[in-house]
Amino acid sequence: MAKETLSITDNRTGKQYEIPIEEGGVIRAAALRDIKTSAEDFGLMSYDPAFTNTASCRSRITFIDGDKGILRYRGYPIEELAEKSNYIEVAYLIVKGELPDRKHYAAWESNITTHTMIHENVKKFMEGFRYDAHPMGMLVSTIGALSTFYPEAAQINDLESRRLQTRRLIGKVPTLAAFAYRHTRGLPYVYPQNDLSYTGNFLSMLFRMAERDYKPNPILERALDVLFILHADHEQNCSANAMRSVGSSQVDPYSAVAAATAALYGPLHGGANEAVIRMLVEIGSPKNVPDFIKGVKEGKRRLMGFGHRVYKNYDPRAKIVKKIAYEVFDVTGRNPLIDISLELERIALEDDYFVSRKLYPNVDFYTGVTYQAMGFPMEMFPVLFAIPRTSGWMAQWAEMVRDPEQKIARPRQVYIGEQTRHWTPIEHRPEPTMREDAVSDQI
Ligand code: CMC
C-alpha cells in the first residue's frame, strides 16, 4: 500500500527526509524546520503571503469546495438551509454544531431576544459620532466599547462566559447596527421589540416611524433572513482570520469581534457589496458595460462582486441572492441597476479574461441591488454582512479557544532589510536628495 508520506531530498546536503501527509493532503509546516544544513541552521520554512496555501486551523464549522461551488455549514448544504431554515436556527447550528430540537430552539431564540437591549450609555456614546459617520465605522467602535460594559468577558476559558457573550453579541449587534443607521438619519432610536422575529425586529429598529404597530413586510423579512443565512459563516476568510488571530492573544470576544468587523469593512471583503453599487451607478447604463469591462481587462479597475480566493466556480450564495433579488423586486419594484449587473455578468462570463482566471459572481454581486431595493442606503450594506457573520465569528473563536493545538498567532517573516548599521550624527548623513530616493517607497 502506498505510504502517506512525502520524501524530500535536500540537494544542499544530500540528506533525505520523510514527512507524514495528514488528512489526505496536509503536511505540517513545522516539519520543514528539521531540514537544515547544520545544527545552528534555523531550518526551512514556507513562505506564503496572504496564506493562499496555508491551513491555519482544523475546523468543523464550514466546508467549501471552491472548484465545485459547494458550501455547507456543519455538513448541511447552503441551498437546503436557505430554503428551509431561518437565521436564528442556522446561528445555533453554526455555534453549537447541531440543529436544535424544539426545546433548545425556543431557549436559544428567547436567550438571543433577551439580549437585544443595550446599555443606555452605549446610546449616548453613539450620539457622539458626526451626523455623516459611516455606520460600519460606528459599529466597529461600539462593538469594541461593549467590552468595557462586560469585563467578565475576559474569562475566555469559562464556558458559561463564552456562551453568554455569544448570545449577547448575536442579540446586540443588530441593535447597534440599527442605532448607527438611525443616527445617520437624525432619527430617534427604536428599541428592540421582542415579539418580532430576529430580522423583523431589526427592520423595526431601522424603519419604524410613528406607527402604533410596526409590521415588517413578510416577504422582505424572509428575504433578509435568507440573506443572513447566506452570510453567517465562510470558513477562514479575512475577518474570520482576524477574529482568530486577535482572539488568540486571549483578548475578550468583543475586542476580537470589533477587529473582525474592521476586517470586514474593507472593499475587498464585506465592503464589496457597497463598492458594487458605486460601480453600477458609475457605469450608469448597460450600454456602457463593454467600455467598463475593457478598463477592467486593462487592469485599470476591478469588477467588484466578481472573483473569490476560494470559489473558482459560481459562488452558490450568489445564485440564491439572484433569486431573492427578484422576490424582493416583486414587492419593492425593480431596481434598474440589475440590468447593468446582468449585462456585466453576461459579458464577463463569455470573456476569456474572466473565464481563464475563473472569475465568477460572488455573494456581493447581487446583494447590493437587493438591499438597495429594500430601502437600505449603501453605507449599511457591509453592516448587513456583519450582523449575521457575528455567529460565524463566535463559532470560529470558540473553536480556536478550545483547540489545544492553537497558540497566539504569530507568523514568521523573511527579513529582507539592512543588516547591522551604526548610527551616525545628523550632519554626517547623506544629502536630502539622495535620501529621498531611499525613503520614497516607505509610507
Ligand atoms: N476584477 C478583475 N480582475 C480580477 C478580479 C476582479 N474582481 N478578481 C481577481 N482578478 C484577477 C486579478 O487581477 C488576477 O489577475 P492576474 O493573474 O492577471 O494578475 C487574478 O484575477 C487573480 O486575482 P487575485 O487578486 O490573485 O485573487 P485573490 O484570490 O487574491 O482575490 C478577491 C480574491 C475576492 C479579493 C478578488 O477576486 C477581488 O478583488 N474581487 C473584487 C472584490 C470582491 O468582490 N470582494 C468580495 C469577495 S466575496 C465576499 C467576501 O468574502 O467578503
Side-chain angles (χ1 to χ4, degrees), residues 164-334:
L164 177 60
Q165 313 321 323
T166 303
R167 297 193 292 262
R168 277 186 178 145
L169 270 154
I170 296 173
K172 289 181 201 310
V173 166
T175 314
L176 297 178
F179 282 18
Y181 167 77
R182 301 285 290 200
H183 178 81
T184 60
R185 289 287 181 275
L187 290 165
Y189 302 135
V190 175
Y191 285 80
Q193 196 182 320
N194 290 355
D195 57 331
L196 294 174
S197 71
Y198 187 78
T199 33
N201 172 51
F202 178 54
L203 289 169
S204 155
M205 291 190 292
L206 287 166
F207 298 131
R208 185 174 184 161
M209 298 309 257
E211 309 91 327
R212 177 194 285 253
D213 273 324
Y214 176 86
K215 289 260 179 297
N217 178 299
I219 294 173
L220 301 186
E221 185 181 356
R222 174 64 190 159
L224 191 59
D225 204 60
V226 177
L227 289 164
F228 278 6
I229 293 173
L230 302 182
H231 287 88
D233 192 57
H234 212 232
E235 50 118 307
Q236 304 313 312
N237 53 80
C238 179
S239 58
N241 183 57
M243 182 77 200
R244 282 179 175 260
S245 184
V246 172
S248 75
S249 75
Q250 302 196 345
V251 74
D252 68 88
Y254 298 95
S255 303
V257 171
T261 311
L264 190 71
Y265 196 175
L268 297 189
H269 192 8
N273 48 21
E274 185 179 341
V276 168
I277 291 292
R278 292 191 194 282
M279 172 188 79
L280 297 177
V281 169
E282 189 192 322
I283 296 172
S285 156
K287 70 177 177 1
N288 300 330
V289 166
D291 260 4
F292 181 84
I293 294 279
K294 190 164 164 275
V296 171
K297 288 163 63 178
E298 286 165 0
K300 294 183 190 146
R301 306 289 304 265
R302 282 217 155 185
L303 175 50
M304 300 311 284
F306 251 71
H308 199 276
R309 170 63 57 78
V310 183
Y311 291 120
K312 300 301 166 198
N313 200 326
Y314 213 101
D315 180 337
R317 301 168 301 172
K319 277 188 197 148
I320 303 170
V321 180
K322 198 172 174 184
K323 189 167 151 274
I324 293 173
Y326 286 99
E327 288 167 18
V328 167
F329 296 161
D330 282 344
V331 177
T332 62
R334 188 182 169 87

Side-chain angles (χ1 to χ4, degrees), residues 5-292:
T5 60
L6 177 72
S7 295
I8 298 178
T9 306
D10 185 345
N11 293 324
R12 298 170 304 174
T13 60
K15 280 198 204 158
Q16 295 227 330
Y17 301 84
E18 194 161 304
I19 295 179
I21 299 177
E22 300 173 11
E23 319 266 349
V26 177
I27 60 160
R28 298 220 168 221
L32 300 174
R33 288 285 292 280
D34 294 337
I35 304 177
K36 316 176 168 211
T37 51
S38 67
E40 298 76 49
D41 187 5
F42 178 82
L44 287 188
M45 62 178 168
S46 59
Y47 174 57
D48 188 11
F51 310 132
T52 58
N53 197 35
T54 295
S56 64
C57 61
R58 299 167 84 240
S59 182
R60 296 175 187 279
I61 304 168
T62 292
F63 172 81
I64 301 176
D65 183 329
D67 291 327
K68 295 195 182 121
I70 292 173
L71 168 62
R72 295 184 208 125
Y73 297 155
R74 303 278 187 186
Y76 293 95
I78 191 68
E79 294 80 4
E80 271 180 46
L81 295 171
E83 192 190 329
K84 297 177 180 157
S85 187
N86 64 41
Y87 173 69
I88 277 287
E89 182 176 77
V90 167
Y92 183 101
L93 171 70
I94 285 179
V95 168
K96 308 260 186 191
E98 294 295 337
L99 286 169
D101 57 22
R102 274 178 210 272
K103 187 176 130 222
H104 285 92
Y105 179 86
W108 172 252
E109 188 179 37
S110 138
N111 271 325
I112 303 287
T113 313
T114 48
H115 285 107
T116 49
M117 294 293 275
I118 54 174
H119 194 289
E120 282 293 289
N121 284 1
V122 178
K123 206 179 78 180
K124 287 194 201 131
F125 176 84
M126 294 189 88
E127 276 160 9
F129 286 106
R130 267 176 62 119
Y131 68 96
D132 58 352
H134 196 291
M136 194 66 168
M138 288 192 251
L139 191 66
V140 170
S141 17
T142 47
I143 292 175
L146 285 186
S147 78
T148 65
F149 291 83
Y150 308 112
E152 77 280 8
Q155 306 305 317
I156 62 152
N157 292 316
D158 181 294
L159 174 64
E160 279 315 312
S161 173
R162 283 205 302 270
R163 287 183 174 160
L164 177 60
Q165 313 321 323
T166 303
R167 297 193 292 262
R168 277 186 178 145
L169 270 154
I170 296 173
K172 289 181 201 310
V173 166
T175 314
L176 297 178
F179 282 18
Y181 167 77
R182 301 285 290 200
H183 178 81
T184 60
R185 289 287 181 275
L187 290 165
Y189 302 135
V190 175
Y191 285 80
Q193 196 182 320
N194 290 355
D195 57 331
L196 294 174
S197 71
Y198 187 78
T199 33
N201 172 51
F202 178 54
L203 289 169
S204 155
M205 291 190 292
L206 287 166
F207 298 131
R208 185 174 184 161
M209 298 309 257
E211 309 91 327
R212 177 194 285 253
D213 273 324
Y214 176 86
K215 289 260 179 297
N217 178 299
I219 294 173
L220 301 186
E221 185 181 356
R222 174 64 190 159
L224 191 59
D225 204 60
V226 177
L227 289 164
F228 278 6
I229 293 173
L230 302 182
H231 287 88
D233 192 57
H234 212 232
E235 50 118 307
Q236 304 313 312
N237 53 80
C238 179
S239 58
N241 183 57
M243 182 77 200
R244 282 179 175 260
S245 184
V246 172
S248 75
S249 75
Q250 302 196 345
V251 74
D252 68 88
Y254 298 95
S255 303
V257 171
T261 311
L264 190 71
Y265 196 175
L268 297 189
H269 192 8
N273 48 21
E274 185 179 341
V276 168
I277 291 292
R278 292 191 194 282
M279 172 188 79
L280 297 177
V281 169
E282 189 192 322
I283 296 172
S285 156
K287 70 177 177 1
N288 300 330
V289 166
D291 260 4
F292 181 84

